[in-house]
Amino acid sequence: MPAPVRNSKDGEFVPRRILLTGGAGFIGSNVLIHLVHKYPEVRFVCLDNLSEGSNLANLRSVTGARNFAFLEGDVLCPKTVRETIISHELDTVMHFAAQTHVDRSFVMPVKFSEVNVLGTAVLLQACLELGVRRFLYVSTDEVYGENVGSHRFSETDPFRPGNPYSASKAAAECLVRGYMESFGRDLPIVVVRPNNIYGPRQYPEKLIPKFIYRLQRKQELPLHGGGRARRSFLFVEDAAEAFDLVLRKGRPGEAYNIGAGAGSTKSVLEVARALMEHFGIDAKQADQHMQVVADRVKNDASYDVHDAKIRNLGWKPLVTFEDGLRRTVEWYRQNPGHWTSVDDALLPDNSGRLQKAAL
């Protein structure tokens, strides 16, 4: 059974042994690095199956830390999950493991549902049966669907997912909600719904690292549907602070939007132009370095959210989009060999890799 959980005088949850699923991926690894260094008295266990988007090199800075352990394994395997929780006496789970790339979800929808929904189901049941004291579920702003007019989503808005990826995350969150309602006293759960997260160590199938890699290779930047879609970009270090805060101070049974802040909502076209400046491409020459490609089957216009709930806990984003983008570009320049075999990920629409994956 997990070790007893201490609680501070102000009711803050204080974990002792944390399982972080998907911790070798982009977001998970950045969160682990933040937590392992900040809380040396807490034990952290990373469970990751090292599929695409994960990389042991992401964890290089914490490998060997006395309060960290890595296990290769799959959240879809009940035996693995249960044995991990029992053997490490874990009292807390932060669930990051997921299939997340929207493009891939259109050709592998069943795989996305399997990993995102069933994987969450396996974890929830194991945590309930083994006495885990807090479960943080990492959802996404995409569960709301796209904004209509000037409406920004609050945590009480209904789910209207617009693609197989967001549908699988919404389905998993419905499962989470069911456990909250049925077993909330025995398994306290908090949910986070962040905006688009970017920064160092992100696999280059995603927008910003893909554009950086293509600019380094002097390739054109592909704009789905002309690049009109807008996203709110949250720097990964700010996201890590938010997850840490919600885990400790979030109210069980509640969801928290994590917004990127004013000035961080950009169209894909604006992101492309901003990145070109870091590669010495003059604005007058920008059009020569872009290529309009066919849009996604469904490309939501934007996901603007209200985030007053988490701000009331004491959080706000500190890194501006401009500074975060600069730091991200610098990291990829300094770590050219971090990701290998990325050619398929850099295709304009990922069609070659997606077709192979669907076979």
Side-chain angles (χ1 to χ4, degrees):
M1 293 292 291
V5 179
R6 297 166 293 140
N7 291 278
S8 66
K9 293 180 181 180
D10 62 1
E12 178 179 328
F13 175 75
V14 182
R16 293 182 61 187
R17 294 174 174 269
I18 298 176
L19 172 65
L20 198 148
T21 69
F26 159 57
I27 300 175
S29 64
N30 278 279
V31 173
L32 268 172
I33 291 167
H34 167 81
L35 295 175
V36 168
H37 292 310
K38 184 175 180 181
Y39 302 107
E41 76 282 5
V42 178
R43 177 72 170 171
F44 295 93
V45 178
C46 170
L47 180 66
D48 197 296
N49 67 357
L50 297 180
S51 59
E52 75 288 329
S54 293
N55 189 341
L56 280 177
N58 285 343
L59 297 170
R60 189 176 292 126
S61 68
V62 294
T63 300
R66 296 182 65 181
N67 62 331
F68 172 74
F70 173 82
L71 298 175
E72 184 174 355
D74 201 318
V75 295
L76 286 168
C77 178
K79 183 174 184 289
T80 296
V81 170
R82 292 178 64 87
E83 288 181 351
T84 300
I85 293 173
I86 293 170
S87 63
H88 291 272
E89 298 182 313
L90 300 166
D91 57 49
T92 304
V93 170
M94 302 177 75
H95 182 29
F96 287 84
Q99 288 282 333
T100 64
H101 191 42
V102 174
D103 283 0
R104 251 190 299 120
S105 77
F106 286 116
V107 296
M108 302 175 64
V110 175
K111 178 68 173 178
F112 273 62
S113 292
E114 178 185 38
V115 173
N116 296 349
V117 182
L118 295 183
T120 301
V122 169
L123 278 165
L124 284 168
Q125 189 60 26
C127 289
L128 176 65
E129 293 177 356
L130 298 175
V132 166
R133 301 311 306 148
R134 183 148 302 196
F135 187 101
L136 183 141
Y137 176 69
V138 180
S139 187
T140 170
D141 58 3
E142 295 195 37
V143 297
Y144 298 118
E146 66 182 357
N147 298 111
V148 177
S150 60
H151 178 72
R152 290 189 296 156
F153 297 116
S154 66
E155 289 85 353
T156 57
D157 275 310
F159 293 167
R160 301 181 186 276
N163 57 64
Y165 158 64
S166 57
S168 70
K169 292 295 285 185
E173 197 174 332
C174 285
L175 189 61
V176 168
R177 176 60 57 181
Y179 271 72
M180 286 179 177
E181 295 293 331
S182 298
F183 311 113
R185 293 185 64 180
D186 297 316
L187 178 61
I189 301 172
V190 287
V191 173
V192 288
R193 299 176 189 146
N195 280 153
N196 271 42
I197 300 175
Y198 74 102
R201 290 180 282 276
Q202 190 169 28
Y203 186 61
E205 66 183 358
K206 297 298 179 72
L207 176 69
I208 288 177
K210 172 184 277 192
F211 279 9
I212 292 172
Y213 266 83
R214 289 183 67 92
L215 286 167
Q216 288 176 326
R217 297 180 175 202
K218 302 189 184 303
Q219 297 173 336
E220 293 178 328
L221 303 186
L223 304 179
H224 287 180
R228 295 183 299 274
R230 296 166 48 252
R231 298 291 183 264
S232 297
F233 291 94
L234 176 67
F235 192 61
V236 70
E237 290 181 8
D238 282 334
E241 292 281 1
F243 298 143
D244 180 12
L245 180 67
V246 172
L247 176 68
R248 292 169 176 272
K249 294 188 176 182
R251 182 178 176 182
E254 296 289 335
Y256 295 84
N257 290 336
I258 306 177
S264 293
T265 299
K266 306 288 182 183
S267 70
V268 173
L269 178 59
E270 289 174 320
V271 173
R273 293 183 182 278
L275 282 168
M276 287 182 198
E277 294 180 10
H278 290 276
F279 287 85
I281 298 173
D282 186 87
K284 295 179 180 179
Q285 301 175 319
D287 290 345
Q288 302 173 27
H289 296 269
M290 295 184 288
Q291 173 192 10
V292 175
V293 299
D295 208 349
R296 287 174 171 168
V297 177
K298 176 69 168 66
N299 197 353
D300 293 337
S302 62
Y303 308 110
D304 298 331
V305 299
H306 282 288
D307 60 357
K309 281 178 67 174
I310 191 171
R311 287 177 182 261
N312 288 339
L313 293 181
W315 176 89
K316 65 178 179 180
L318 299 178
V319 180
T320 65
F321 178 75
E322 291 72 22
D323 187 40
L325 198 66
R326 176 188 59 78
R327 291 167 61 180
T328 302
V329 171
E330 287 178 357
W331 185 89
Y332 281 96
R333 281 177 168 155
Q334 294 168 7
N335 297 272
H338 187 82
W339 293 104
T340 59
S341 304
V342 298
D343 289 351
D344 285 347
L346 299 181
L347 292 172
D349 59 359
N350 290 332
S351 58
R353 184 164 58 92
L354 295 177
Q355 289 168 1
K356 295 176 185 175
L359 295 176

